[in-house]
Amino acid sequence: MPRNVFADKHIVLGVTGSIATYKAVALASALVQSGAHVDVIMTESATKMVQPLSFQAITHRPVLTDMFSLMAETDIGHVTLGKTADALLIAPATANTIAKLALGLADNLLTTTALAATCPIIVAPAMETNMWRHPATQANIATLRERGVRIVEPEAGYLASGASGVGRLAAPERILTALRRTLTPQDWAGRRVVVTAGGTREAIDPVRFISNHSSGAMGYAVAEAALDRGAHVTLISTARHIPTPEGATLIPVESARDMREAVLNAIQDADALFMAAAVADYRPADVAAQKIKKSDDDLVLRLVRNPDILADVKQVRPARLVVVGWAAETDHLIENARQKLERKGLDLIIANPVPQSFGDGRVQATLISRHGEPRPLEPMPKDALAHLILDAVHTLVQQRNQTG
């Protein structure tokens, strides 16, 4: 998880009596492994689905089921739980519990804790399709949303009844993403950012293309981090193999010319552009209409220059736009990166030594701005680097918006 926002956080996990109750065990495990302190509250019906011992073995804390025994045996009453927690996550949440939450009922430890809670509440429903679509359930969901409860909507798929439809508990990754974003300071809220990712593909014929080693992982890490911090994100990407971060607006592209058009359109109402994509400098002059057949002769390709996207951005950028670029270099890293920053009018450039700039592992980077000395960083995962880049850009965006 970026910056491990779960570390040392107190999470109350509410578990209700759904056929998906067993999936909450995996959620508890993921949170504990991320360093969170997890208190599990189970409704009576949830204990019929999964034994409390399953959660206790993972969290190493007593599982809470009865309000009166809790008050008698410990100093952690329902009010204390709701006040000391950093977040209350209810997953899975049945239609019955959702209705109780909407009405403000407090007839068990979970609903009483929710009513007394001063922390953020996240609800992940799970139920049959008709129950989910019922007007009463939808009205209750709307009521909870109006009160600031974050809803992780159920997914479509195979249900316990044997039918298929919407109602499956959201995947653990989606639930944890919602919780992570709830716990992350929203310092980019209301900002609009554009992120490019992946290596462009320049066609040779219908089945072959010229590209590079860029995986797209850095761009996706920046997009995910910006979403976590509240930004509206437009992701312009060639990387089809990476799942789109939830909440991002994806614009799929292939070539440098495709990316140029998408970028120039997207930046008009943006606050920041993160040009993390590895854009091909050249493309074949002629693209064969049919697959080129192998022969005994050498194949010679004539290449022509692609448009320089950052140079074009420089000509049309809105006054408020902060532009961030990347430089992957084999030699003279700082010198070449600084020249690119000046030549293309960038506000910040991330300099990476090749081959460390490619792949999904740890990456070494140096941040270079228009003013000040280069800032070399220790090798780190790309998601951690993405947050450091956002930190550096945040002040620039604020300054640009104040003066613009």
Side-chain angles (χ1 to χ4, degrees), residues 197-264:
T200 59
R201 299 177 177 183
E202 309 300 331
I204 298 172
D205 62 21
V207 298
R208 301 182 180 92
F209 57 83
I210 296 172
S211 190
N212 53 62
H213 290 295
S214 176
S215 67
M218 189 69 248
Y220 276 71
V222 170
E224 189 80 65
L227 287 163
D228 283 359
R229 293 165 71 160
H232 301 281
V233 175
T234 297
L235 177 60
I236 302 171
S237 174
T238 67
R240 303 288 192 273
H241 62 288
I242 306 179
T244 304
E246 186 160 354
T249 298
L250 176 68
I251 302 177
V253 295
E254 287 285 343
S255 68
R257 287 177 290 180
D258 295 338
M259 185 169 285
R260 173 188 178 276
E261 180 180 359
V263 167
L264 294 182

Side-chain angles (χ1 to χ4, degrees), residues 314-394:
K314 182 180 178 181
Q315 301 302 317
V316 300
R317 61 187 287 184
R320 70 177 180 279
L321 184 70
V322 173
V323 181
V324 182
W326 269 255
E329 302 290 346
T330 56
D331 54 20
H332 304 293
L333 177 67
I334 304 302
E335 178 184 346
N336 288 336
R338 189 177 290 281
Q339 289 178 1
K340 182 176 180 180
L341 175 124
E342 297 295 340
R343 186 172 66 254
K344 301 195 176 183
L346 305 178
D347 298 288
L348 179 73
I349 194 165
I350 293 83
N352 302 123
V354 175
Q356 292 186 32
S357 55
F358 300 121
D360 298 330
R362 299 171 71 85
V363 62
Q364 187 173 355
T366 299
L367 305 188
I368 305 173
S369 61
R370 286 177 177 249
H371 309 287
E373 293 299 315
R375 180 188 172 191
L377 303 173
E378 294 295 324
M380 66 183 68
K382 290 184 177 180
D383 54 1
L385 176 59
H387 278 284
L388 288 180
I389 294 169
L390 285 170
D391 289 342
V393 176
H394 184 252

Side-chain angles (χ1 to χ4, degrees), residues 16-18 43-45 90 92-105 107-108 110-111 125-127 131-132 136-137 140 144:
T16 70
S18 163
T43 64
E44 182 180 357
S45 57
I90 304 177
T94 60
N96 185 50
T97 293
I98 289 169
K100 291 179 180 181
L101 294 173
L103 291 172
L105 298 182
D107 63 346
N108 60 40
L110 177 56
T111 55
M127 64 197 72
M131 296 175 70
W132 169 248
T137 302
N140 291 333
L144 293 179

Side-chain angles (χ1 to χ4, degrees), residues 30-46:
L31 289 170
V32 170
Q33 290 181 49
S34 295
H37 306 291
V38 181
D39 279 311
V40 176
I41 300 177
M42 300 181 73
T43 64
E44 182 180 357
S45 57

Side-chain angles (χ1 to χ4, degrees), residues 155-234:
E155 300 174 353
Y158 186 79
L159 303 175
S161 64
S164 292
V166 178
R168 287 171 58 94
L169 181 68
E173 294 78 11
R174 286 187 57 215
I175 297 173
L176 293 173
T177 293
L179 178 59
R180 187 181 72 231
R181 291 178 181 176
T182 299
L183 295 172
T184 301
Q186 301 294 284
D187 56 346
W188 279 78
R191 306 295 188 191
R192 295 186 177 275
V193 305
V194 178
V195 182
T196 67
T200 59
R201 299 177 177 183
E202 309 300 331
I204 298 172
D205 62 21
V207 298
R208 301 182 180 92
F209 57 83
I210 296 172
S211 190
N212 53 62
H213 290 295
S214 176
S215 67
M218 189 69 248
Y220 276 71
V222 170
E224 189 80 65
L227 287 163
D228 283 359
R229 293 165 71 160
H232 301 281
V233 175
T234 297

